[in-house]
Amino acid sequence: QGDFEKSLNAVIEAFKKIKPSDTMSDQDKIDYGKAADYASEAKFIQVEKKLPEFEKYKLNVDASAEKLSAVLTKDLPGMRSDLETQYAEVLGFASPEWIVAAQFRIGYLWEIHSKILLNAPIPKAIAKLPADIRADAEQQYMDKINSLVFPIEDGAKAQYAKALELSKGAGVMNTWTEQTLERLNAYDPDNYPLYKKGKGGTRELQHSLPGLDMLRVPCRTPLTDLRASASRLTSSAFPLAAMISRQLW
């Protein structure tokens, strides 16, 4: 492990040692919230490093039927589930900003899963069929793919909707909320419009949304932000929070 990875682990482990209680002073509660932010972002960064492998996954449709079935029913769902579990750890730290980010990513995992299937090529065995039967074979193949994709897309929508609910519940409106709204609009524009009817029938922006690159949604520059925030913690106010601060340097 490099120094940066060790620092991330140290931030997470230090936070796990903090035991919140009802007897905390107001300042301790504030510092505990900051520590939760640091640990959440540290864990989020760690999981983000593993995301590209799933994003770049290519389905080998020309593998044997047995192997392809294993990929579709076990390997792909397993990869998604493993990353979901790791993002869920961020949810457990209960940082208002980062629970929205982590839940957005869980929805994104489901969406990527569906796109892996949709972007798979037509199997060579079908492409080589005589023209008079190839079209029917291709349609049957696409019908089968769509039957697999539809419930996964429903899952993506449900996970994005949960991210929006978490955002509302936490009183957070950040870039992750905006990106959640954009993806919900893509799935269900009637219930999640980006525009509303303004005066005189004009269209007004319902939400200010940034563009979304589905291959990489950037997060904050991590170490710089963490260091800047950590410098505000003092050992006299909250010793373990200060310990987290020192791990960042």
Side-chain angles (χ1 to χ4, degrees):
Q1 290 184 334
D3 290 342
F4 183 64
E5 189 67 23
K6 289 179 180 179
S7 292
L8 295 177
N9 285 330
V11 169
I12 295 167
E13 292 307 312
F15 176 71
K16 289 179 178 179
K17 295 177 181 178
I18 302 173
K19 304 298 181 184
S21 71
D22 294 336
T23 60
M24 277 180 163
S25 68
D26 290 342
Q27 183 60 52
D28 282 357
K29 291 177 181 178
I30 291 172
D31 288 334
Y32 179 82
K34 292 177 181 179
D37 290 341
Y38 306 152
S40 297
E41 186 166 7
K43 184 62 183 181
F44 190 85
I45 293 167
Q46 287 183 328
V47 188
E48 288 286 275
K49 292 179 180 180
K50 302 173 184 179
L51 184 59
E53 180 181 356
F54 190 55
E55 290 176 317
K56 296 174 182 178
Y57 190 92
K58 302 294 183 184
L59 190 63
N60 180 10
V61 296
D62 297 311
S64 68
E66 182 179 0
K67 186 172 183 179
L68 183 57
S69 177
V71 169
L72 293 174
T73 61
K74 295 181 181 179
D75 296 353
L76 267 177
M79 291 174 66
R80 187 196 72 219
S81 179
D82 180 60
L83 289 169
E84 280 187 77
T85 299
Q86 294 179 65
Y87 280 117
E89 188 173 342
V90 178
L91 297 177
F93 293 160
S95 164
E97 176 180 1
W98 292 102
I99 59 172
V100 181
Q103 186 59 46
F104 170 85
R105 275 298 194 222
I106 291 174
Y108 178 74
L109 291 172
W110 282 76
E111 182 164 1
I112 289 302
H113 187 173
S114 71
K115 291 184 183 303
I116 289 172
L117 301 182
L118 289 172
N119 293 335
I122 298 293
K124 293 178 181 178
I126 295 178
K128 292 178 179 178
L129 291 173
D132 58 337
I133 62 172
R134 185 170 63 241
D136 285 343
E138 287 181 355
Q139 186 59 54
Q140 290 177 24
Y141 170 77
M142 290 309 303
D143 288 345
K144 178 61 177 177
I145 290 294
N146 286 332
S147 72
L148 297 173
V149 166
F150 289 153
I152 299 173
E153 288 186 332
D154 287 343
K157 178 184 171 183
Q159 296 296 341
Y160 283 136
K162 186 175 181 180
L164 183 59
E165 288 304 309
L166 285 173
S167 178
K168 291 178 179 178
V172 171
M173 179 65 179
N174 59 16
T175 183
W176 300 102
T177 312
E178 293 171 342
Q179 290 168 115
T180 296
L181 286 165
E182 186 173 88
R183 299 316 306 145
L184 283 170
N185 173 260
Y187 281 109
D188 190 354
D190 290 336
N191 288 315
Y192 298 97
L194 300 185
Y195 292 88
K196 61 182 178 181
K197 185 176 290 187
K199 295 180 180 179
T202 60
R203 295 174 76 210
E204 296 179 356
L205 193 62
Q206 180 92 329
H207 307 284
S208 177
L209 301 177
L212 177 63
D213 178 357
M214 283 304 296
L215 291 180
R216 176 56 54 207
V217 182
C219 61
R220 299 183 302 175
T221 304
L223 193 56
T224 302
D225 286 351
L226 286 170
R227 283 175 171 167
S229 298
S231 66
R232 293 192 289 270
L233 286 175
T234 64
S235 57
S236 59
F238 203 172
L240 268 174
M243 172 183 166
I244 291 175
S245 170
R246 290 194 296 272
Q247 292 292 346
L248 301 172
W249 294 93

